[in-house]
Amino acid sequence: MARKRAKRKVAASRGFFRKTLAAVFPIFSLLVLVLVTASLALVAGTALFLSRGNLPKLTTLREYRPPLVTRVYSTDNTVIGEFFVEKRLWVPYAKIPKQMVHAFVAAEDASFFQHRGIDLRGIVRAAWKNIQAGGFVQGGSTITQQVAKIILLTPERSLARKLKEIITALRIERNFTKEEILELYLNQIYLGHGAYGVTQATQTYFGKGLDELNLAEIALLAGMPKAPSRYSPLRHPNRAKTRQRYVLGRMVTVGYVTPEAAQAAEYTPLKVLKRDRGLRSYASYFTEQVRRYVENKYGTDALYKGGLTIKTALNARLQRTAVQALRKGLKRLDKRRGYRGAKKRLRPKDYEAFLKRLPPVTLGPNGPALGQMVKGVVEGASRIKKTAWIRVRGYTGTANLSHSPWALKGKSFPVKKGDVVLVRIEAYGKKGRLIFSLEQEPEVQGAVLALDPRTGYVIAMVGGSDFRRSQFNRATQAVRQPGSAFKPIIYAAALDAGYTPASIIMDTPVSYQAGAPGEVWQPQNYDKEYKGPVTFRRALEESRNVATVKILDSIGVEYAITYAKKMGITSPLYPNLSLALGASGLTLWELVRAYAAFANQGYLPQPILVTEIRDRSNRLLEKNSPKLSRVISPETAYLITSIMQGVIQEGTGRSVRSIGRPAAGKTGTTDEFVDAWFVGFTPQLLTGVWVGYDDRTPLGHGESGARAAAPIWLDFMRQAIAYQPALPFPVPKNIVISPIDRETGRPVSWGTPGTLLETFRAENAPGEGLEPIDSKVFKEELPY
């Protein structure tokens, strides 16, 4: 009975519910209809309001010119510098691999080729996620919506902005093709580490062109737009690999690749580039000079946003050679001054923390790469054994200081326990230990400038030992006293004033009235000795100071200054006799350019860094060809060149005589060895070197141009001209030779002991024994 009563109650309840539902359903349906209609009306009204005047114009998209990277190239098309706000290289859709298009579409918007701007299912899915999260966590955006947001809208998260995005995406789809939309998207997206667009990202991570990528690399890039920093293969390789698998899976699901191809790509090794700047670190001073030139001429926006292509005269091989030669030379000089000692000393408890902050030791195939310099901590030192026990990050080893005698010049042992030192990894020892040598970063600075004297093309420029430590360009900005390196300009002026290479000058003590009454200036020679009567040639070859002052005094200071300015010297020159000794400051750039007139038969070239500039549309903005102007006669240029060949063969430049081919040059040293110079040339290449401290600290006793600067010149030139033919200097028609006495300069007969075959202008040559410059005798017997 009880069961029957219960069933009757349930049936009665169900009947009551059905009657109630039937009564209220029309009212409920009407209410829902009203709410939906009102919502749609609100959305439609908002959309209508936005579309009428509050949306970006699509002409903005048509005329879109995103910031592009400006790239600087060497003569072999190596990229040596980049300037940018956003690091982006634009590539048309036709040059983007289809597989890359498919990878990004599969990962970001699988229905891209089917929808008309929005994906309703994606929006619903994103809305549900947002409701669950209680805020905006997903946008459900299509690629078209991303283009609208990135290029035309702001990144804010709001309903109004989302509506704008949807409406703008619909308008974009009506006015642009799918290919045009993808071109905008794939060139605009940010892919981490400063790279915008797939072209720049490809070069940043793999150092390749788009057409060289494999499926594994493409999938890695396609996984990055969601969170570039989170999925960076440089910072988070494991996360990047996981995201790559996701993209490959999506490509299989959509049907773009087969499961077998995806699996093969997943197991393809990835070679992601380390962040090594390569040649750019070698060419920093050069590219900075280019940056100043372009920014000054075309403006900041053109430089950093214009996507310019800048071709330069720089030779990549010779630039590396110049940097290496300078650093090697500065280290040699620095070591001659001894070990300066550690700049920092640690307590044993601080060793570990300090080492962890250091960069990891670079590894080679068998362990730490040999030759690299790293910082370490001295864990122990023995004066008796001349040994230091040193710990670097991850390794320990020993340094035998008896192999570094430069560091043992002082009375005390150079290193102590706890010293932070710089060492070079020389070899592998026993039980995994390393063998080190002690090093130190040179504090002395230097500069190298090389150009082709025939064209003025600047093929190498180094403005200091390390651009990261100092951006001051000592090749173009440092105004320093050139010392005797200025003398060839004085001697050239003297030749045009009537002197000949055989003229006699008295190298004897002399005094001049100085500025104040009673003050006397007595110039002295470098060796504090006097040679008496010397020939004009010998005076320059041996860099006799007193003889040079007397020559300047005879031709006139103002005349010499005018002559120097004619040869490209722009710095102010002191109007007194100290000009003969190079007391007036000038730059290496000025001095090298002046020497180019000697090397180029009297023609002064305009130095050229930039050969060509094109804009983003490949339109030519400027093209620079050699510009030469005659400043001295070919005869004067040749005579000075001939004497400067003697400087290398028998004079102050003998240290570079091993160059082994026709070459001319001149040393320069200033008082107290503050500045050291060497400028020299072959017919094809002119190079100048300066060495000194920025604060004008003396280099050390005996550190002359011949010792401090000339070896750097020789190291560079040997490699620079290795593949060039050994050419003689061209001889003008009006040059003849005549035998003279080497000491007195008087004409002598052929075969007389002590004879020198000297070069003259035809009108100035001694009569006896006169021979044309191209005679067989000259070619066989002239020593230079």
Side-chain angles (χ1 to χ4, degrees), residues 340-510:
R340 293 189 298 273
K343 292 184 177 180
K344 188 174 185 179
R345 184 169 294 159
L346 303 176
R347 295 172 297 182
K349 67 176 185 178
D350 297 325
Y351 291 177
E352 192 66 34
F354 172 78
L355 292 171
K356 283 184 177 180
R357 293 195 299 268
L358 297 177
V361 173
T362 303
L363 298 179
N366 302 313
L370 301 182
Q372 66 178 303
M373 293 197 298
V374 295
K375 284 185 178 181
V377 180
V378 177
E379 292 188 307
S382 170
R383 182 186 182 91
I384 297 174
K385 296 181 178 181
K386 293 184 173 57
T387 300
W389 290 266
I390 299 170
R391 184 177 168 194
V392 301
R393 180 170 174 176
Y395 301 91
T396 57
T398 58
N400 187 338
L401 268 65
S402 62
H403 297 158
S404 303
W406 62 272
L408 296 173
K409 292 183 177 181
K411 294 182 179 179
S412 61
F413 197 63
V415 296
K416 296 180 175 61
K417 184 177 181 180
D419 281 357
V420 175
V421 295
L422 184 68
V423 294
R424 181 189 297 274
I425 301 176
E426 299 289 357
Y428 303 120
K430 297 179 180 179
K431 298 181 180 180
R433 296 174 68 85
L434 301 176
I435 297 174
F436 302 115
S437 63
L438 189 64
E439 293 288 340
Q440 67 182 4
E441 284 291 346
E443 292 182 345
V444 64
Q445 283 291 349
V448 176
L449 180 63
L451 60 79
D452 184 336
R454 301 163 298 183
T455 61
Y457 289 146
V458 179
I459 61 175
M461 178 199 291
V462 190
S465 62
D466 190 339
F467 187 79
R468 292 168 297 182
R469 291 166 55 193
S470 170
Q471 288 77 55
F472 182 68
N473 190 335
R474 295 156 189 86
T476 61
Q477 295 175 293
V479 177
R480 308 289 293 228
Q481 292 182 338
S484 296
F486 190 78
K487 288 178 181 176
I489 298 174
I490 301 295
Y491 279 71
L495 286 173
D496 282 347
Y499 280 84
T500 75
S503 297
I504 294 296
I505 301 96
M506 295 303 295
D507 182 25
T508 54
V510 65

Side-chain angles (χ1 to χ4, degrees), residues 5 14 40 48 63 99 112 116-117 126 131 175 179 262 297 407 432 441 455 484 537 580 587 591 624 629 656 690 761:
R5 284 197 297 270
R14 287 176 177 174
L40 290 175
L48 181 62
E63 300 168 357
Q99 203 166 57
F112 173 75
R116 301 305 302 168
I131 291 171
N175 290 275
E179 290 76 16
K297 186 170 184 178
E441 284 291 346
T455 61
S484 296
R537 170 183 286 274
T587 64
L591 191 60
N624 296 311
S629 57
V656 302
W690 167 82
R761 284 189 178 91

Side-chain angles (χ1 to χ4, degrees), residues 382-678:
S382 170
R383 182 186 182 91
I384 297 174
K385 296 181 178 181
K386 293 184 173 57
T387 300
W389 290 266
I390 299 170
R391 184 177 168 194
V392 301
R393 180 170 174 176
Y395 301 91
T396 57
T398 58
N400 187 338
L401 268 65
S402 62
H403 297 158
S404 303
W406 62 272
L408 296 173
K409 292 183 177 181
K411 294 182 179 179
S412 61
F413 197 63
V415 296
K416 296 180 175 61
K417 184 177 181 180
D419 281 357
V420 175
V421 295
L422 184 68
V423 294
R424 181 189 297 274
I425 301 176
E426 299 289 357
Y428 303 120
K430 297 179 180 179
K431 298 181 180 180
R433 296 174 68 85
L434 301 176
I435 297 174
F436 302 115
S437 63
L438 189 64
E439 293 288 340
Q440 67 182 4
E441 284 291 346
E443 292 182 345
V444 64
Q445 283 291 349
V448 176
L449 180 63
L451 60 79
D452 184 336
R454 301 163 298 183
T455 61
Y457 289 146
V458 179
I459 61 175
M461 178 199 291
V462 190
S465 62
D466 190 339
F467 187 79
R468 292 168 297 182
R469 291 166 55 193
S470 170
Q471 288 77 55
F472 182 68
N473 190 335
R474 295 156 189 86
T476 61
Q477 295 175 293
V479 177
R480 308 289 293 228
Q481 292 182 338
S484 296
F486 190 78
K487 288 178 181 176
I489 298 174
I490 301 295
Y491 279 71
L495 286 173
D496 282 347
Y499 280 84
T500 75
S503 297
I504 294 296
I505 301 96
M506 295 303 295
D507 182 25
T508 54
V510 65
S511 299
Y512 295 95
Q513 178 66 44
E519 284 190 20
V520 175
W521 179 54
Q522 294 179 312
Q524 292 185 332
N525 291 317
Y526 176 80
D527 58 8
K528 303 294 192 292
E529 296 179 358
Y530 299 93
K531 300 289 186 180
V534 295
T535 62
F536 185 92
R537 170 183 286 274
R538 187 179 176 191
L540 182 55
E541 286 179 346
E542 298 182 3
S543 200
R544 309 305 295 176
N545 289 342
V546 174
T548 306
V549 171
K550 289 182 177 181
I551 290 173
L552 177 59
D553 187 33
S554 70
I555 64 175
V557 173
E558 291 301 329
Y559 165 71
I561 290 175
T562 301
Y563 200 95
K565 291 187 177 299
K566 180 176 66 172
M567 294 190 66
I569 302 299
T570 57
S571 293
L573 300 175
Y574 296 137
N576 56 48
L577 292 176
S578 68
L579 182 69
L581 308 183
S584 296
L586 46 76
T587 64
L588 180 62
W589 179 276
E590 293 174 86
L591 191 60
V592 167
R593 186 190 179 202
Y595 272 56
F598 301 140
N600 195 34
Q601 304 174 71
Y603 285 101
L604 184 69
Q606 179 65 41
I608 297 174
L609 295 170
V610 175
T611 57
E612 180 180 292
I613 301 179
R614 292 183 179 271
D615 66 12
R616 67 169 71 203
S617 302
N618 203 37
R619 181 170 60 92
L620 184 65
L621 298 181
E622 72 172 76
K623 188 176 183 66
N624 296 311
S625 300
K627 296 181 179 64
L628 306 173
S629 57
R630 166 74 70 189
V631 293
I632 58 176
S633 70
E635 292 80 14
T636 298
Y638 180 78
L639 292 174
I640 287 295
T641 297
S642 174
I643 297 173
M644 285 199 288
Q645 286 183 267
V647 170
I648 289 178
Q649 292 298 322
E650 298 188 9
T652 58
R654 288 189 300 274
S655 60
V656 302
R657 187 163 45 186
S658 60
I659 190 71
R661 62 173 64 200
K666 185 67 184 75
T667 56
T669 310
T670 61
D671 287 346
E672 298 182 359
F673 304 99
V674 171
D675 297 277
W677 303 73
F678 190 85

Side-chain angles (χ1 to χ4, degrees), residues 190-213:
Y190 180 62
L191 294 170
H193 295 285
Y196 288 82
V198 293
T199 307
Q200 185 62 58
T202 297
Q203 296 190 6
T204 297
Y205 295 114
F206 304 113
K208 298 180 177 181
L210 286 176
D211 57 348
E212 299 176 284
L213 293 180

Side-chain angles (χ1 to χ4, degrees), residues 77-217:
N77 286 324
T78 299
V79 177
I80 59 172
E82 294 178 328
F83 305 107
F84 53 86
V85 173
E86 294 180 359
K87 198 174 183 181
R88 177 189 291 105
L89 295 170
W90 195 273
V91 61
Y93 179 81
K95 293 187 177 181
I96 301 175
K98 290 294 181 185
Q99 203 166 57
M100 175 166 281
V101 171
H102 293 160
F104 276 86
V105 168
E108 294 293 311
D109 184 4
S111 61
F112 173 75
F113 289 105
Q114 289 76 45
H115 65 64
R116 301 305 302 168
I118 60 173
D119 181 1
L120 293 177
R121 284 184 298 177
I123 292 175
V124 171
R125 182 174 60 253
W128 176 244
K129 292 288 186 181
N130 291 336
I131 291 171
Q132 288 181 317
F136 285 99
V137 294
Q138 283 191 15
S141 296
T142 63
I143 285 177
T144 312
Q145 287 176 261
Q146 292 184 55
V147 169
K149 179 176 68 174
I150 294 172
I151 299 178
L152 300 176
L153 301 171
T154 63
E156 66 173 310
R157 292 186 174 186
S158 67
L159 179 60
R161 207 276 300 153
K162 195 66 178 178
L163 287 171
K164 286 183 183 180
E165 179 187 300
I166 292 171
I167 297 166
T168 303
L170 293 171
R171 295 171 66 207
I172 289 173
E173 289 277 352
R174 289 198 301 269
N175 290 275
F176 291 82
T177 66
K178 291 289 187 180
E179 290 76 16
E180 289 173 329
I181 295 169
L182 281 170
E183 180 177 323
L184 288 166
Y185 174 71
L186 292 173
N187 281 290
Q188 180 64 29
I189 52 174
Y190 180 62
L191 294 170
H193 295 285
Y196 288 82
V198 293
T199 307
Q200 185 62 58
T202 297
Q203 296 190 6
T204 297
Y205 295 114
F206 304 113
K208 298 180 177 181
L210 286 176
D211 57 348
E212 299 176 284
L213 293 180
N214 57 44
L215 179 57
E217 293 163 336

